[in-house]
Structures are given as C-alpha cells and as structure tokens.
C-alpha cells in the first residue's frame, strides 16, 4: 500500500503571515512510520488559523475543485499575491519515500482570488537512501498561459501528437473555472491519465486521490453544532474498490431526510463509533431513530432519521446533549481513521473548544503514542503541553516574517507548559511569542468606553 504523508508547509503573504514554515515531527525524528501529531499554540491573531485556511485551499485545489470565493480575503493586505508550498512524501512498499513539493500561488482579482501559478516537483529516492536533485514534474503559469517546464510539455506532446491542442484548451478551461490545471477535470487531469508517463499521470492521480479521501480539514464551522443546529458527520468508505470521503449533514432540531445509501453509511458509522465512544465518554451510546419515509430533494425515496443518545434504555435526541459531546461525536469517525491509517491527515481548528481538558489531554497522549496517521490541531488549552513531546508543538510568534517556531534547549525533565508560560512572561525565545498587553491600560480603556457611551 502506498503511504502519502505531509512533511512540511510554508506560507507566504497568507493572511497575517508574511512568512511561516514548519516541519512535521516524524520528519524531524526521521521516522515517518511513528505517530505524527502536531499542536499549534499562540495568542489570538498570531497566525494559527491561517494554517487551517491554507489546508482548506489545498484540499479544494488538489481534489479538483475551484479556488474558494474567500481566497481573496486570505491574501496579506500589503501584498498582491500569496503562496502555499506543501512538502510531502509518497512511499511505495518498503522502499525509501520520494519527496514532492507542490507550490500554489494566487493573486487578487476583481474582489476574488485568481490562480497565478502551480508547480509540482520531485526528489527521487536512491537505493542508498540519499536523494536525487529536485526536478519539476509539471506546472502551469496562469498569467502567461504556459505549461511548465517546457521539456515536460515537449515530452508529453511527443508521446501523443494530438495532445498539444487538447492540453492548451484544458489549460484555458482551468483558468476559466479558477481550478487546478493539474488536478481538475476541466484541466489536464483526464488527459494526463491517458499518458504512458507514470512519473506524471500516476503521481497526479495519487495526490488527487489523497486530497479527496485522506486529507480532512475541520474548521470551527464544521465541528459540533452550528448556528443552524446542523451537524456534519464526516466519513471515509470503500466504494467500488475505491476509498471516498463524504459528509452527511444532519439537523439536530428535527429529523433529517437522507437517501437509502446515506442511511446505510450512517448506521455503519454509528456502529463503529459506539465501539469507542463509551470509552471516551462513559455510558455514551448512539442510535439511529427512523421516524418514517419521505422524498429527498431529488425526488427519490428517503428516510426521516434522527441520531439519539441511549441512556438507561431511553432514546434522547442529540440536541439535548452538551456542545462538547456533539463535537466529540462529529469527529469520532475521523479520529478512528487517523488512529489506524498512516495516510490519513486530520486538520482541526480549536480542538480544545468545549472539550473537558483532562479528557483532551488523555486523547492527545493516546494519539501521540499509538496513532498511525497524522493530525494537526490548534489549541489554547495548556494541559496538552504536559502530555506531548516537545517536537510535537509549534508556537506562533508576533513576528509576521517568522510566524512559527519550536522551543529550543528543552530538556526531557522540563515541563513544556511551564517553559511556555515563563517565555511569555520573561522572554528568552528567538522570537517574541506574545505581544504584551497592559492590564491597567485594558481597565482604563473599558472605563473610557463606558463614559463615551454615556455622553
């Protein structure tokens, strides 16, 4: 089984990050088969959520979707364009993993983001574990309408003479839809799949499949219960020999209408989740309550279903559970995937919100010791710092030109939580990790604001 894992991400002029980069813990340890958990800490407005937004952009683009409408607002206010650089590895069987780098740039258009360029590069592994020089596989310059590198373009065209015009048309189609030339069906994805060039077509397909099935991004909007009393349950399942990723939106206010296939998926998910939920939250067990049948919005047969918690033999609608319980339920199925699949990467914003801090610390400890996949999360809860390896935490700084750092000179006997608090109070890190606030000034400002409101 091929294993794909994220190694590094670099942001340039993205939101309030002029430059920020970090490497995943397993690659620092040079053991890519170990658990790979990374927590991101820092004060509000210091670039933590920028990482979540960057992964959302990558998830969309690499799975063939269009650049999101909000991308225009993700470009730094002082820059005309932003870029995201993703380093990752793909390992076949038991050989050494090949190293890849995908760079995506987008610019400010007419109140929207527009793609500027993309490029996929590779460093092939040698038999002795060393690496060849990096070389470009394929990319596209959206401004100059050029397929790059030119040598690859000539190689593709030579292999299939009638392909040149098709590729150029595909490139313009990708431009029009603001989607990737490499990964979208409007672009060259379908054309590349017909080539006898495994270094191009096979690699592009692997990355697209990874984004569609194994890269899972949870922003705060997608976890737990939203303002419309909706909960999205994310799943991965095998369909016709292929893994697929999807979501089932469920109302917590009233029964939801879902089709027979989604009902089957939901029931399977609940069975799997019940195996572990009772261990995370004592005595918690879920059920799927079917209240009747109704046509779906497509005019097909559907079922009215509601998720209930089962307590003392009684079914209680999930909306009466706490927000923390609902959040845990919404991500449990994905946590199962991360724990058991080395290619799954879960990105979570504010993992600690509404979750009891002792339980949160225990979960992180379990995953940092036994998970096979990767997880990146932002958090403000400092208990996690006592439960996790120093390499598994990065801190956002007040310097927009160097947003992410790791603590250095930390001994195994040091408590990382204490070191972090001491660094906030006394400094001593290579970058300032807290932009100091004045409690007296805050109090005076609150007083002034009240007086101004009375005048």
């Amino acid at each position: 089984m091929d294993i794909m894992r994220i190694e590094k991400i670099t942001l340039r002029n993205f939101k309030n990050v002029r430059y920020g980069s970090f490497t995943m813990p397993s690659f620092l340890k040079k053991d890519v088969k170990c658990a790979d958990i990374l927590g991101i800490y820092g004060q509000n407005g210091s670039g933590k959520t920028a990482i979540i937004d960057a992964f959302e952009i990558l998830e969309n683009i690499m799975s063939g979707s269009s650049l999101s409408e909000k991308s225009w607002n993700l470009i730094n206010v002082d820059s005309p364009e932003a870029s995201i650089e993703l380093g990752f590895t793909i390992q076949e069987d038991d050989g050494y993993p090949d190293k890849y780098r995908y760079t995506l740039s987008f610019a400010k258009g007419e109140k929207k983001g527009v793609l500027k360029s993309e490029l996929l590069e590779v460093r092939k592994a040698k038999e002795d574990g060393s690496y060849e020089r990096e070389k470009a596989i394929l990319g596209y310059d959206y401004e100059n309408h050029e397929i790059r590198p030119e040598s690859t373009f000539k190689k593709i065209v030579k292999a299939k003479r009638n392909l040149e015009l098709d590729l150029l048309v595909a490139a313009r189609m990708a431009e029009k839809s603001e989607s990737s030339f490499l990964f979208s069906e409007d672009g060259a994805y379908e054309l590349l799949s017909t080539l006898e060039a495994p270094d191009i077509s096979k690699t592009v397909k692997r990355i697209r499949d990874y984004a569609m099935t194994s890269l899972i991004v949870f922003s705060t909007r997608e976890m737990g219960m939203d303002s419309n009393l909706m909960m999205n349950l994310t799943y991965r399942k095998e369909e016709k020999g292929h893994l697929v990723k999807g979501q089932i939106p469920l109302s917590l206010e009233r029964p939801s209408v879902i089709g027979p296939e989604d009902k089957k998926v939901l029931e399977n998910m609940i069975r799997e989740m019940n195996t572990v939920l009772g261990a995370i939250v004592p005595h918690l067990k879920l059920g799927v309550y079917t209240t009747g049948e109704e046509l779906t919005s497509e005019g097909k047969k559907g079922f009215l279903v509601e998720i209930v918690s089962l307590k003392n033999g009684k079914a209680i609608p999930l909306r009466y559970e706490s927000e923390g319980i609902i959040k845990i339920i919404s991500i449990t199925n994905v946590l199962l995937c991360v724990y058991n699949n080395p290619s799954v990467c879960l990105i979570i914003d504010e993992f600690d919100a509404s979750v009891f801090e002792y339980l949160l610390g225990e979960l992180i400890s379990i995953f940092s010791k036994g998970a096979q996949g990767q997880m990146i999360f932002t958090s403000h809860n400092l208990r996690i710092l006592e439960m996790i390896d120093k390499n598994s935490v990065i801190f956002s700084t007040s310097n927009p030109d160097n947003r992410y750092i790791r603590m250095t000179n930390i001994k195994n006997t040091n408590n990382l939580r204490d070191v972090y608090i001491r660094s906030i109070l006394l400094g001593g890190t290579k970058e300032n990790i807290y932009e100091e606030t004045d409690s007296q000034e805050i109090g005076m400002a609150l007083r002034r604001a009240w007086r101004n409101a009375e005048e």
Side-chain angles (χ1 to χ4, degrees):
M1 180 181 68
D2 293 350
I3 298 175
M4 181 168 167
R5 289 170 78 89
I6 291 168
E7 179 177 8
K8 184 178 183 179
I9 188 168
T10 300
L11 309 183
R12 290 182 176 88
N13 297 317
F14 192 90
K15 296 184 74 173
N16 62 357
V17 182
R18 286 203 287 264
Y19 176 83
S21 182
F22 63 83
T23 301
M24 292 297 289
S26 65
F27 291 91
L28 292 177
K29 299 174 184 176
K30 297 182 179 179
D31 180 10
V32 296
K33 293 185 179 179
C34 71
D36 212 11
I37 311 300
L38 182 72
I40 306 167
Y41 280 80
Q43 72 182 115
N44 296 329
S46 62
K48 299 188 303 299
T49 301
I51 294 169
I52 310 299
D53 291 331
F55 273 110
E56 275 192 314
I57 294 284
L58 289 171
E59 181 187 25
N60 283 335
I61 290 295
M62 295 192 308
S63 62
S65 300
S66 299
L67 189 66
S68 65
E69 292 182 0
K70 74 173 186 176
S71 59
W72 186 80
N73 295 312
L74 299 178
I75 300 172
N76 188 279
V77 293
D78 297 322
S79 178
E81 63 182 77
S83 71
I84 308 169
E85 185 181 295
L86 184 70
F88 56 93
T89 62
I90 297 178
Q91 182 173 9
E92 297 183 34
D93 302 321
D94 295 325
Y96 291 103
D98 294 325
K99 293 179 177 289
Y100 293 86
R101 180 167 60 171
Y102 176 65
T103 305
L104 177 74
S105 298
F106 55 99
K108 293 177 180 176
E110 290 293 327
K111 295 188 178 181
K112 67 174 184 176
V114 293
L115 292 174
K116 186 176 180 183
S117 67
E118 62 178 333
L119 182 64
L120 180 63
E121 300 165 283
V122 65
R123 292 179 65 201
K124 287 286 187 178
K126 299 180 181 179
E127 291 184 1
D128 62 358
S130 61
Y131 285 88
E132 299 175 358
R133 292 181 60 183
E134 188 173 66
K135 67 176 183 179
I137 297 178
L138 190 62
Y140 188 67
D141 184 333
Y142 289 77
E143 285 188 316
N144 299 307
H145 316 295
E146 292 178 352
I147 298 172
R148 295 180 175 177
E150 187 178 353
S151 58
T152 299
F153 181 51
K154 289 180 178 179
K155 179 182 176 182
I156 293 173
V157 172
K158 185 178 179 181
K160 226 173 181 182
R161 291 186 176 181
N162 297 329
L163 198 59
E164 180 174 1
L165 180 60
D166 290 340
L167 282 172
L168 294 174
V169 170
R172 293 303 179 92
M173 291 288 290
E175 289 179 27
K176 187 176 181 180
S177 63
E178 294 299 343
S179 57
S180 167
F181 168 73
L182 290 175
F183 303 111
S184 72
E185 294 183 5
D186 285 336
Y189 178 74
E190 291 294 337
L191 294 173
L192 293 174
S193 66
T194 67
L195 295 179
E196 295 180 5
D199 57 328
I200 299 175
S201 57
K202 187 177 179 181
T203 299
V204 169
K205 185 179 186 306
R206 281 172 172 169
I207 298 169
R208 190 176 191 263
D209 288 347
Y210 172 80
M212 294 183 71
T213 64
S214 301
L215 180 60
I216 303 169
V217 183
F218 277 125
S219 65
T220 53
R221 302 182 304 276
E222 295 166 311
M223 286 193 300
M225 178 172 56
D226 65 18
S227 58
N228 297 316
L229 291 178
M230 295 292 295
M231 179 178 71
N232 291 313
L233 281 180
T234 300
Y235 64 84
R236 291 171 84 244
K237 67 170 184 172
E238 190 167 312
E239 189 175 274
K240 298 179 180 178
H242 299 284
L243 276 175
V244 296
K245 178 179 69 178
Q247 282 189 334
I248 301 177
L250 296 170
S251 171
L252 296 177
E253 195 173 19
R254 61 182 65 87
S256 302
V257 183
I258 61 175
E261 186 59 34
D262 278 349
K263 182 173 181 288
K264 184 178 178 181
V265 171
L266 179 61
E267 290 170 341
N268 288 336
M269 285 174 64
I270 296 300
R271 273 196 296 272
E272 292 174 359
M273 290 162 62
N274 277 338
T275 305
V276 70
L277 274 174
I280 297 175
V281 182
H283 313 301
L284 178 62
K285 188 177 181 181
L286 302 179
V288 180
Y289 188 61
T290 304
T291 62
E293 296 183 3
E294 189 173 309
L295 292 178
T296 66
S297 57
E298 292 83 21
K300 298 180 180 179
K301 179 182 178 180
F303 297 90
L304 282 165
V305 300
E306 186 168 8
I307 295 182
V308 296
S309 59
L310 304 172
K311 293 182 177 178
N312 300 322
K314 295 182 179 180
I316 302 171
L318 203 58
R319 60 181 170 272
Y320 296 115
E321 292 287 0
S322 70
E323 187 174 340
I325 293 291
I326 293 171
K327 178 175 181 177
I328 289 170
I329 290 169
S330 70
I331 63 174
T332 295
N333 189 261
V334 181
L335 290 176
L336 284 169
C337 296
V338 173
Y339 197 79
N340 295 287
N341 190 311
S343 283
V344 173
C345 183
L346 174 61
I347 321 288
I348 305 182
D349 196 15
E350 297 188 13
F351 188 32
D352 57 327
S354 305
V355 179
F356 181 47
E357 71 168 355
Y358 187 82
L359 172 61
L360 183 69
E362 293 302 300
L363 282 174
I364 291 299
S365 178
I366 292 166
F367 272 75
S368 64
K369 293 174 183 176
Q372 296 184 44
Q374 296 182 296
M375 181 163 67
I376 300 172
F377 64 91
T378 69
S379 176
H380 296 99
N381 191 300
L382 300 185
R383 171 168 164 75
I384 294 175
L385 300 183
E386 299 177 329
M387 310 295 292
I388 200 167
D389 181 80
K390 63 180 181 180
N391 287 324
S392 295
V393 181
I394 63 169
F395 299 93
S396 56
T397 76
S398 60
N399 182 2
D401 295 307
N402 187 23
R403 272 298 185 197
Y404 311 112
I405 63 170
R406 280 183 167 87
M407 292 285 189
T408 56
N409 302 318
I410 306 293
K411 298 177 182 178
N412 291 333
T413 55
N414 291 145
N415 184 309
L416 188 56
R417 173 178 177 159
D418 292 343
V419 172
Y420 180 46
I421 293 174
R422 188 165 60 247
S423 298
I424 290 174
L425 297 174
L426 304 176
T429 56
K430 62 182 179 181
E431 295 286 358
N432 185 18
I433 58 174
Y434 186 77
E435 194 165 352
E436 190 173 353
T437 55
D438 188 321
S439 56
Q440 187 175 0
E441 174 61 28
I442 293 172
M444 292 173 63
L446 290 168
R447 185 78 66 187
R448 285 196 303 269
W450 181 258
R451 288 172 180 166
N452 292 338
E454 289 183 326
E455 292 178 1

